[in-house]
């Protein structure tokens, strides 16, 4: 499995193609360097370098790419487990369609969700600068006649799935990229952006708010939320402790759909989230009641990936409820 990370390796931070890459789990600082790598099995990763990595993506026998940005309190092996589960579900639905690429940022490895939370929030913000560099590298590679000549361009569609605090990573990355590298706003890069159990304030996608750039960069932005997501309650408790009071996007959906751009859609998952991920009700976007069998949330995500439309039967619809 290919992946990108800004976690520090035990080795030097200097990129060396073909070397072993071992995560330094005791160092959860956000590196300004980014590493383009391949995961083989537990404890066995290889650094590829950005150009060979992007060429591998171009050559892969998949029609679309899905960048997976994980949530808080997830160490690399847990991220790989979740990403590989999602990849297997995609392959069951349609082989050669979706290639899952985890983007791994540095979570804390202390015990306890609430203790981890605040450090992870800082790491999410600090990771924005490194991942903005990834976007710049991709844009330069895509426009390079040597790697993508007009006779042989890369035609893969790009999608993003951000889970939990990964939504904060995505929001801050686009903000940093827009501020420091772009002159006229972010380009339309993503076909679909899925915001699942989003651990950001529920006004984030409103016009004029920090997350509006997610809408500018995406054809479709789909918010999946559940009011009884227990992991987000820990988030709320931690934010209240630090004098930040706001409902989370992953609990209530957008605060006011009328204030969001027209390409934002909201999907309530209250009826299935705890059945699929008991007792937290937080990671309900992969398997359903039985691991390895897709849940209805996954089915909705995959149907959107295939069609490029959130509600193909009704082009004006923007909300729905998932029910078994």
């Amino acid at each position: 499995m290919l992946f990108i990370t800004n976690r520090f390796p035990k080795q030097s931070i200097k990129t060396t193609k073909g070397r072993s890459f071992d995560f330094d789990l005791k160092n959860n600082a956000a590196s300004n360097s980014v590493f383009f790598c391949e995961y083989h099995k537990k404890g066995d990763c290889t650094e590829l370098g950005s150009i060979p990595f992007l060429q591998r993506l171009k050559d892969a026998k998949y029609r679309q790419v899905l960048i997976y940005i994980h949530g808080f309190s997830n160490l690399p092996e847990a991220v790989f487990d979740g990403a590989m589960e999602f990849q297997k579900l995609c392959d069951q639905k349609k082989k050669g369609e979706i290639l899952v690429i985890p983007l791994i940022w540095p979570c804390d490895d202390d015990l306890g969700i609430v203790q981890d939370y605040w450090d992870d929030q800082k790491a999410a913000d600090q990771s924005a600068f490194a991942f903005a560099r990834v976007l710049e590298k991709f844009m330069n590679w895509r426009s390079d006649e040597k790697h993508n000549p007009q006779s042989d361009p890369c035609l893969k569609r790009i999608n993003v799935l951000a889970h939990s605090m990964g939504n904060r990573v995505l929001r801050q990355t686009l903000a940093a990229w827009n501020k420091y590298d772009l002159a006229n706003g972010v380009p339309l890069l993503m076909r679909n952006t899925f915001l699942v159990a989003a651990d950001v304030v529920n006004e984030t996608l409103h016009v004029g708010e920090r997350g509006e750039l997610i809408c500018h960069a995406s054809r479709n932005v789909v918010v999946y939320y559940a009011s009884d997501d227990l992991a987000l309650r820990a988030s709320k408790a931690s934010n209240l402790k630090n004098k930040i009071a706001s409902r989370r996007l992953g609990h209530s959906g957008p605060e006011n759909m009328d204030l969001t751009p027209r390409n934002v859609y909201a999907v309530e998952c209250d009826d299935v989230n705890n059945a699929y991920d008991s007792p937290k009700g937080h990671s309900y976007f992969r398997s359903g009641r039985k691991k390895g069998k897709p849940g209805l949330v996954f089915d909705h995500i995959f149907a959107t990936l295939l069609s490029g439309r959130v509600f193909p039967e009704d082009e004006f619809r923007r909300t729905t409820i998932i029910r078994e």
Side-chain angles (χ1 to χ4, degrees):
M1 172 168 273
L2 300 175
F3 70 94
I4 302 170
T5 186
N6 71 325
R7 287 200 74 125
F8 280 100
K10 290 181 179 178
Q11 295 84 0
S12 165
I13 63 170
K14 183 179 179 180
T15 289
T16 305
K17 297 174 185 177
R19 70 170 178 173
S20 293
F21 184 95
D22 300 306
F23 291 99
D24 184 354
L25 299 183
K26 296 301 180 184
N27 186 349
N28 68 325
S31 169
N32 285 327
S33 299
V34 284
F35 306 96
F36 296 79
C37 305
E38 183 174 17
Y39 175 82
H40 306 290
K41 61 183 179 180
K42 186 174 182 179
D44 183 7
C45 300
T46 302
E47 184 174 11
L48 302 177
S50 60
I51 299 301
F53 180 98
L54 291 167
Q55 189 62 45
R56 285 276 295 272
L57 283 189
K58 181 178 178 179
D59 295 341
K61 304 302 181 183
Y62 287 86
R63 198 168 70 96
Q64 303 189 58
V65 172
L66 178 74
I67 305 298
Y68 168 52
I69 311 176
H70 63 87
F72 71 93
S73 199
N74 273 259
L75 294 182
E77 287 298 334
V79 177
F80 291 129
D81 285 346
M84 287 190 286
E85 180 185 353
F86 199 93
Q87 181 69 71
K88 289 176 182 176
L89 292 171
C90 289
D91 291 342
Q92 283 179 31
K93 287 284 187 181
K94 187 176 180 181
K95 282 190 174 294
E97 183 66 28
I98 305 296
L99 180 64
V100 180
I101 306 292
L103 190 154
I104 301 176
W105 55 280
C107 295
D108 202 350
D109 66 345
D110 293 340
L111 297 176
I113 291 176
V114 174
Q115 292 99 311
D116 283 354
Y117 182 86
W118 203 245
D119 286 342
D120 285 359
Q121 198 172 79
K122 294 173 185 175
D125 288 351
Q126 292 161 1
S127 295
F129 299 97
F131 294 138
R133 290 183 59 215
V134 173
L135 295 173
E136 274 296 289
K137 285 177 181 288
F138 170 74
M139 295 297 284
N140 291 335
W141 172 83
R142 190 176 70 168
S143 61
D144 190 323
E145 185 66 18
K146 175 183 176 182
H147 300 295
N148 282 290
Q150 292 185 23
S151 59
D152 183 28
C154 183
L155 299 176
K156 285 184 170 53
R157 289 166 169 157
I158 301 172
N159 308 275
V160 171
L161 190 155
H163 179 230
S164 188
M165 201 181 290
N167 287 268
R168 188 180 182 108
V169 175
L170 174 61
R171 182 188 70 187
Q172 300 304 106
T173 295
L174 291 176
W177 190 36
N178 183 59
K179 181 175 180 179
Y180 294 106
D181 299 301
L182 302 173
N184 298 305
V186 297
L188 180 60
L189 269 183
M190 282 84 80
R191 192 183 194 213
N192 302 292
T193 296
F194 305 102
L195 310 183
V196 183
D199 192 5
V200 290
V201 297
N202 67 351
E203 305 94 349
T204 287
L205 298 176
H206 289 183
V207 173
E209 297 293 335
R210 283 181 291 176
E212 186 186 356
L213 290 176
I214 297 173
C215 308
H216 295 178
S218 314
R219 173 178 171 176
N220 303 310
V221 179
V222 192
V223 177
Y224 296 91
Y225 67 97
S227 61
D228 54 351
D229 184 327
L230 294 182
L232 285 181
R233 290 183 187 178
S235 155
K236 183 177 179 181
S238 184
N239 277 290
L240 285 172
K241 174 186 171 185
N242 289 279
K243 299 181 174 59
I244 299 172
S246 178
R247 286 180 289 187
R248 316 311 285 168
L249 185 63
H251 261 161
S252 64
E255 174 70 16
N256 186 337
M257 286 291 288
D258 291 337
L259 298 180
T260 65
R262 297 299 298 173
N263 63 335
V264 174
Y265 304 84
V267 180
E268 183 198 302
C269 304
D270 278 19
D271 287 4
V272 300
N273 69 305
N274 283 298
Y276 293 174
D277 180 37
S278 180
K280 292 185 295 182
H282 191 54
S283 296
Y284 50 84
F285 62 97
R286 299 190 293 259
S287 298
R289 291 180 179 271
K290 183 178 180 181
K291 188 167 183 179
K293 300 294 184 181
L296 293 178
V297 179
F298 173 86
D299 284 344
H300 188 270
I301 290 171
F302 196 82
T304 304
L305 287 166
L306 286 180
S307 69
R309 295 177 176 86
V310 182
F311 303 118
E313 73 284 356
D314 184 352
E315 62 182 299
F316 299 108
R317 186 176 184 178
R318 297 182 66 200
T319 64
T320 196
I321 300 171
I322 288 184
R323 294 187 175 98
E324 286 189 302

